[in-house]
Amino acid sequence: MKILVLRSSFQSDEFICTEYADLLELLKNKCNAEITILGDESVETFPETSPNNVDFVMVATGGVENLFKKLFDMETFQETSLQKNINLIADGRNNSLAAALEILTYLEEQGYEGNIIHGTNAEIIDTIVADNSRNVTTISNKLRGTRIGLFGYPSDWLIASGVDYDYLRDYFGVESVYIDLQRLIDGIKTVPQSEAEKVARDLVKRSKSVKEPDDKDMIDAAKAYLVIKKICQEERLDAMTIRCFDIVKACNTTSCLALALLNDEGIVAGCEGDMQTLLTMILAKRLCGEEAFMANPSQLTDSTTMFAHCTIPLKMCDNTVIRSHFESGIGVAVQGDMPLTDYTIFKWGGRQLDKFFVTEAKAIKNEYSNHFCRTQITLDINLKPYLLNHPIGNHHVIIKGKHAEEIRSFMRENGIGE
């Protein structure tokens, strides 16, 4: 927990440490708080010295209203601190409550929610501990310590689906590990033929049929899977995403099979370097316990929405057909027959991962058309108003079951807007 303590220019850090010694000690011992004291004279250096992800702002004296406003106006402070409700602490000494009331009113005028924690030292600590107990399941809790492998940078067409990797690390505790695609390309050449043949045979046994790919296509795709899996193990990755079309050009194969198998094995794997969608897949897995189908909205009517892509976790399918990659006609892709049941459509995104979309629908058709990516599912929902006016990027994820209320409640509790 990180607490920013504001004081006026009439007081010093030493005064705050002495005046609030008991409360600060309790915050450190009972709440594991990391405390930073800030006054007017040091506000200009705040962007360089600021703690990331401020949980509480403690108003220690009067006269700090304008100091808070200066902080609030700083983009750095907003990026690190304003993704949730702003919690103020003020015990009343040194005109702190008066200042906190003015600040809270200002926040509400700016469209932000907040509250003041006020009372004795014991009451303040009890309130913070209780709040933490209620909100123990935060996005940071779900994601902290996750290692994501970036096999190449995002595809060129994903102009609105990127993330700030430093922000991702500082705010959510997610490490992004860049993997040069040459490492994968070189690794494919070293995979023993026998190992790749076994993967290919096992896949054929699990599938209803094989259409376009020949034996060489199957073995090459299996080699890509084995190398990607090996790198994931070497780098201790929990998830990965890949600039997949570069592999098509360099190796004349695809990573569609690799992503399908890795998702089955517990490594969340996404296409095209789309980090926003990969994070959505990770959150869906950890919040709902479900694998996700990362897909393109492909055809919209006034009553239905069809999603399609060339890879899907095999676990999500009743049957699979081994196909070539739709757009290139190369390598191996997966045409999955998804069961006609209830699904949740989910996307978490935005420049600062500050918005989401979620809804539920029933699958009514999984008929195949040659005009779209290999796995196709049609849901009984009209998403035109959302997708044609205010979409969160292209890719969305489909998870089995009804999870919209669970996701919506979780995201809202974390201050993420719908």
Side-chain angles (χ1 to χ4, degrees), residues 86-110:
I86 295 105
N87 300 294
L88 305 173
I89 301 171
D91 73 352
R93 283 180 282 176
N94 304 295
N95 288 323
S96 59
L97 182 57
L101 292 169
E102 188 74 9
I103 290 170
L104 183 57
T105 304
Y106 171 77
L107 285 170
E108 291 178 347
E109 289 176 350
Q110 303 305 309

Side-chain angles (χ1 to χ4, degrees), residues 14-23 60 91 93-94:
E14 290 74 20
F15 171 82
I16 299 302
C17 290
T18 301
E19 178 76 355
Y20 291 97
D22 292 343
L23 177 56
D91 73 352
R93 283 180 282 176
N94 304 295

Side-chain angles (χ1 to χ4, degrees), residues 178-188 227 230-231 234-235:
Y178 179 75
I179 310 294
D180 194 314
L181 282 177
Q182 194 61 47
R183 180 175 170 186
L184 168 57
I185 294 167
D186 292 341
I188 288 174
V227 176
K230 183 173 184 286
I231 294 172
E234 291 172 348
E235 298 292 343

Side-chain angles (χ1 to χ4, degrees), residues 27-145:
L27 289 168
K28 291 176 183 176
N29 293 335
K30 299 289 187 181
C31 306
N32 195 30
E34 177 183 326
I35 295 169
T36 301
I37 301 173
L38 188 69
D40 277 304
E41 69 282 359
S42 52
V43 68
E44 298 304 325
T45 62
F46 180 80
E48 287 75 36
T49 62
S50 63
N52 295 302
N53 191 15
V54 173
D55 297 290
F56 295 89
V57 176
M58 177 174 162
V59 180
T61 73
V64 298
E65 296 89 336
N66 200 49
L67 170 59
F68 180 87
K69 185 176 182 300
K70 288 179 182 177
L71 293 171
F72 183 85
D73 290 339
M74 286 182 177
E75 184 177 355
T76 301
F77 183 65
Q78 292 197 23
E79 287 176 356
T80 60
S81 306
L82 300 182
Q83 296 298 312
K84 51 189 174 183
N85 293 348
I86 295 105
N87 300 294
L88 305 173
I89 301 171
D91 73 352
R93 283 180 282 176
N94 304 295
N95 288 323
S96 59
L97 182 57
L101 292 169
E102 188 74 9
I103 290 170
L104 183 57
T105 304
Y106 171 77
L107 285 170
E108 291 178 347
E109 289 176 350
Q110 303 305 309
Y112 287 89
E113 295 183 2
N115 68 288
I116 299 171
I117 300 172
H118 172 71
T120 65
N121 288 351
E123 288 170 339
I124 289 171
I125 296 300
D126 287 347
T127 301
I128 292 173
V129 170
D131 284 348
N132 282 346
S133 296
R134 285 195 297 272
N135 298 317
V136 67
T137 308
T138 64
I139 291 178
S140 293
N141 292 150
K142 290 290 184 184
L143 299 182
R144 190 165 302 282

Side-chain angles (χ1 to χ4, degrees), residues 380-393:
D380 65 346
I381 188 169
N382 176 12
L383 292 183
K384 280 185 177 181
Y386 159 62
L387 288 172
L388 300 185
N389 293 285
H390 304 288
I392 306 176

Side-chain angles (χ1 to χ4, degrees), residues 318-338:
D318 286 338
N319 296 291
T320 55
V321 178
I322 305 306
R323 303 293 305 270
S324 62
H325 179 244
F326 168 67
E327 287 155 304
S328 66
I330 289 171
V332 173
V334 179
Q335 177 185 326
D337 294 332
M338 298 174 68

